[in-house]
């Protein structure tokens, strides 16, 4: 899909239609927007909270002196990577996680392209790792957040199990919601269940030590188990196990002028009072919550998908089917859509006039470290063409605030399903908070809003 100057290129059925922005007086664009260079400059100057905590801990370690029991260890991503290579684990694939982001960043930056795949979903990663093992006879590593355990259950039980194809691999699992640690409700539920889930799957596991010698010994234990049993072995990675490692990010296309938060604000500003919003997991829902607070709007119009990555459009579809007189806006992210892209086929074939799908594409898993998604390849990847093939009535692409505003207004009058892809810069505010209302409160308010005719 192409853009030219102030014109927006729209695909309508099999016809190419140019949409002119000649009536922008009706749209709302009230925000100040970042430019690409300024955003990237601030990102290089500001230290993350994790980096500051790491530096503070290093000072405490130095002050500990002979009291070595007070020293807090961190596992260096490069050393752990080398330790994996030392036991002949040289293939890595998975879905990035915030607790693994430093190791994932190192692998993304340093592993050969043919030895690393950022998969669409955790189940896909297990399947890719299985193919690697079949082709080489070697042991791969799959990395994931523990919330992704649900996605791997089927291939683990019906593919890699010793009773089926008996495929050995290391599962490196970020332990969000670890008991005794502060976290969000959805992660606390998952964290409590994680050891039991692995035990039920018959997968031996241990916490990954946060120091080099311990990690080396743990890897040897995994190696011996995989050689003996031809089955998966898991490591649970606790918070701040790895020392910081920053992923080097290339320059954004010059025409991208908005962040995800900027784009979300323009969308919200151009909706009507009765429009319904279902927003994706991660930063997007957090930014939406805070924007509603800043504008004193209330939260009843929004369903915040705090977990269940990839299922946002399916939730929105279920709502749209039962509320045909309401406009349902699904605010999605590129990583979320890719994880369960099959849902687009169901949406496209639903012929629901009120389903309006907005995908904010910054080409990255921004909520868990900024590792790239396939959608960041703007030359060869197109959500619009995928949506067309699935049966969406109209697809559009927008880059500027004015284009976004106009498209949102136009979408409201179009027969759905309609898809709008908004291409944005990576990054988020350093001071971004989290929703202060519980998921149950969100659900109750949202259901009450839906009940209003």
């Amino acid at each position: 899909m192409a853009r030219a100057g102030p014109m927006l290129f729209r695909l309508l059925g099999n016809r190419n239609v140019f949409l002119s922005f000649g009536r922008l007086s009706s749209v709302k664009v009230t925000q100040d927007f970042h430019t690409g260079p300024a955003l990237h400059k601030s990102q290089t100057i500001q230290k993350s909270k994790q980096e500051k905590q790491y530096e503070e801990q290093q000072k405490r370690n130095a002050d500990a002196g002979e009291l070595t029991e007070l020293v807090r260890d961190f596992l260096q991503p490069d050393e752990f990577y080398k330790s994996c290579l030392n036991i002949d684990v040289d293939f890595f694939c998975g879905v990035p996680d915030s607790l693994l982001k430093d190791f994932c960043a190192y692998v993304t930056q340093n592993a050969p392209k043919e030895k690393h795949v950022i998969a669409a979903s955790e189940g896909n990663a297990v399947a890719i790792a299985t193919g690697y093992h079949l082709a080489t006879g070697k042991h791969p590593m799959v990395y994931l957040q523990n919330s992704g355990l649900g996605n791997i259950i089927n291939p683990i039980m019906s593919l890699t199990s010793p009773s089926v194809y008996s495929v050995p691999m290391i599962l490196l699992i970020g332990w969000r919601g670890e008991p005794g640690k502060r976290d969000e409700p959805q992660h606390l539920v998952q964290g409590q269940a994680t050891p039991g889930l692995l035990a039920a799957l018959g997968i031996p596991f241990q916490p990954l030590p946060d120091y080099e010698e311990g990690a080396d010994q743990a890897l040897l234990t995994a190696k011996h188990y995989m050689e003996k049993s031809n089955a998966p072995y898991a490591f649970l990675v606790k918070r701040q196990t790895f020392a910081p490692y920053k992923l080097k990010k290339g320059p954004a296309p010059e025409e991208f002028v908005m962040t995800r938060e900027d784009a979300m604000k323009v969308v919200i500003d151009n909706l009507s009072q009765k429009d319904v919003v279902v927003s994706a997991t991660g930063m997007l829902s957090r930014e939406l919550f805070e924007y509603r607070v800043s504008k004193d709007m209330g939260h009843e119009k929004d369903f915040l998908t705090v977990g269940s990555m990839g299922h946002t459009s399916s939730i929105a579809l279920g709502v749209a089917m039962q509320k045909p007189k309401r406009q349902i806006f699904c605010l999605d992210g590129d990583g979320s859509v890719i994880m369960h892209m099959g849902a687009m086929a169901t949406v496209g074939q639903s012929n629901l006039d009120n389903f309006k799908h907005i995908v904010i594409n910054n080409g990255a898993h921004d909520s868990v470290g900024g590792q790239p998604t396939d959608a960041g390849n703007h030359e060869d990847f197109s959500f619009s063409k995928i949506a067309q093939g699935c049966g969406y009535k109209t697809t559009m692409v927008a880059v500027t605030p004015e284009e976004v505003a106009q498209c949102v207004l136009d979408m409201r009058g179009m027969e759905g399903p309609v898809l709008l892809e908004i291409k944005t810069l990576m990054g988020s505010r350093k001071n971004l908070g989290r929703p202060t209302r519980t998921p149950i409160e969100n659900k109750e308010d949202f259901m009450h809003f839906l009940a209003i005719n």
Side-chain angles (χ1 to χ4, degrees):
M1 179 162 294
R3 292 177 62 257
M7 309 292 288
L8 178 67
F9 184 73
R10 176 193 293 174
L11 293 176
L12 179 57
N14 292 320
R15 294 177 294 148
N16 298 338
V17 180
F18 284 94
L19 177 65
S20 173
F21 291 96
R23 51 187 179 88
L24 290 178
S25 59
S26 62
V27 304
K28 297 179 182 178
V29 181
T30 60
Q31 308 301 322
D32 293 326
F33 296 98
H34 305 287
T35 61
L39 181 68
H40 286 290
K41 182 179 179 182
S42 67
Q43 286 175 338
T44 59
I45 293 175
Q46 295 182 16
K47 291 182 179 180
S48 68
K49 183 178 179 180
Q50 179 200 15
E51 289 172 320
K52 292 177 181 178
Q53 290 175 339
Y54 177 74
E55 290 179 358
E56 290 170 0
Q57 186 59 55
Q58 294 298 83
K59 293 177 182 177
R60 294 192 195 101
N61 287 351
D63 293 340
E66 296 179 355
L67 300 176
T68 56
E69 66 273 17
L70 299 181
V71 172
R72 167 78 164 84
D73 292 299
F74 293 89
L75 195 57
Q76 298 296 329
D78 59 334
E79 294 297 335
F80 184 65
Y81 178 77
K82 292 173 186 176
S83 295
C84 291
L85 299 184
N86 287 340
I87 63 165
D88 207 23
V89 172
D90 64 355
F91 183 83
F92 306 85
C93 62
V95 176
D97 167 49
S98 56
L99 300 191
L100 307 175
K101 71 182 183 66
D102 303 294
F103 179 67
C104 290
Y106 185 87
V107 173
T108 300
Q109 204 78 61
N110 295 279
K113 186 176 181 180
E114 67 276 9
K115 296 289 189 176
H116 179 223
V117 178
I118 297 177
S121 73
E122 296 84 357
N124 290 163
V126 170
I128 294 168
T130 297
Y132 170 81
H133 171 73
L134 294 174
T136 65
K138 296 169 70 174
H139 304 153
M141 175 178 282
V142 172
Y143 56 81
L144 65 148
Q145 186 180 108
N146 56 345
S147 60
L149 284 172
N151 284 336
I152 72 170
I153 287 176
N154 179 271
I156 286 290
M157 296 297 287
S158 64
L159 181 64
T160 69
S161 169
S163 300
V164 188
Y165 280 108
S166 195
V167 180
M169 62 183 65
I170 292 177
L171 302 176
L172 189 69
I173 304 170
W175 196 0
R176 290 296 301 270
E178 174 194 349
K181 298 291 185 180
R182 188 198 310 272
D183 216 323
E184 298 304 301
Q186 70 276 14
H187 291 303
L188 292 175
V189 172
Q190 187 76 49
Q192 191 74 34
T194 294
L197 281 173
L198 290 171
L201 293 170
I203 300 174
F205 63 91
Q206 63 169 299
L208 180 68
D210 59 8
Y211 60 102
E212 186 179 346
E213 299 85 354
D216 287 346
Q217 186 58 53
L219 285 170
L220 284 175
T221 299
K223 179 176 184 288
H224 294 153
Y225 176 81
M226 290 187 293
E227 289 175 343
K228 179 180 178 181
S229 303
N230 278 318
Y233 189 94
F235 291 117
L236 294 179
V237 180
K238 298 182 178 182
R239 184 182 301 182
Q240 291 188 333
T241 292
F242 287 104
Y245 183 91
K246 269 199 169 182
L247 182 67
K248 296 182 180 68
K249 300 169 185 176
E254 292 183 0
E255 63 268 29
F256 294 1
V257 296
M258 294 185 295
T259 64
R260 175 189 53 248
E261 187 170 15
D262 294 331
M264 175 275 297
K265 290 177 179 179
V266 178
V267 171
I268 296 302
D269 285 348
N270 286 279
L271 297 182
S272 78
Q273 290 299 310
K274 290 188 176 182
D275 289 343
V276 178
V277 175
V278 179
S279 62
T281 187
M283 299 287 193
L284 178 56
S285 283
R286 292 165 61 182
E287 290 162 346
L288 173 58
F289 184 90
E290 290 203 348
Y291 188 55
R292 295 290 196 192
V293 172
S294 71
K295 293 294 184 178
D296 197 25
M297 293 179 179
H299 304 286
E300 68 279 356
K301 298 180 177 67
D302 311 323
F303 183 83
L304 308 179
T305 311
V306 295
S308 300
M309 180 173 173
H311 295 296
T312 310
S313 62
S314 295
I315 297 169
L317 177 64
V319 174
M321 292 174 68
Q322 304 307 317
K323 296 294 177 180
K325 294 182 180 180
R326 304 286 284 275
Q327 294 279 316
I328 312 300
F329 282 83
C330 174
L331 268 57
D332 228 333
D334 50 308
S336 174
V337 174
I338 289 172
M339 179 166 281
H340 291 296
M341 196 179 287
M344 290 182 70
T346 306
V347 170
Q349 294 301 304
S350 70
N351 290 317
L352 288 174
D353 289 344
N354 63 333
F355 191 98
K356 310 300 161 68
H357 200 170
I358 298 177
V359 180
I360 302 179
N361 177 13
N362 62 6
H365 289 283
D366 216 5
S367 297
V368 291
Q371 293 81 8
T373 69
D374 290 329
N377 184 351
H378 298 289
E379 295 295 325
D380 297 327
F381 189 98
S382 172
F383 281 116
S384 293
K385 291 180 180 178
I386 294 168
Q388 269 195 301
C390 290
Y392 282 64
K393 300 285 181 61
T394 307
T395 66
M396 298 175 285
V397 171
V399 173
T400 69
E402 294 79 13
E403 290 174 353
V404 173
Q406 188 66 66
C407 286
V408 172
L409 289 178
D410 288 345
M411 290 176 83
R412 300 193 73 260
M414 293 176 179
E415 291 185 359
V418 177
L419 180 132
L420 167 61
E421 178 185 1
I422 306 174
K423 298 189 177 186
T424 72
L425 300 163
M426 292 174 55
S428 61
R429 287 186 287 114
K430 298 294 182 182
N431 63 344
L432 180 62
R434 293 182 180 274
T436 56
R437 294 174 61 78
T438 68
I440 294 298
E441 289 172 328
N442 177 213
K443 172 191 171 185
E444 291 174 348
D445 289 348
F446 185 71
M447 291 181 70
H448 183 263
F449 178 67
L450 289 179
I452 299 173
N453 291 323

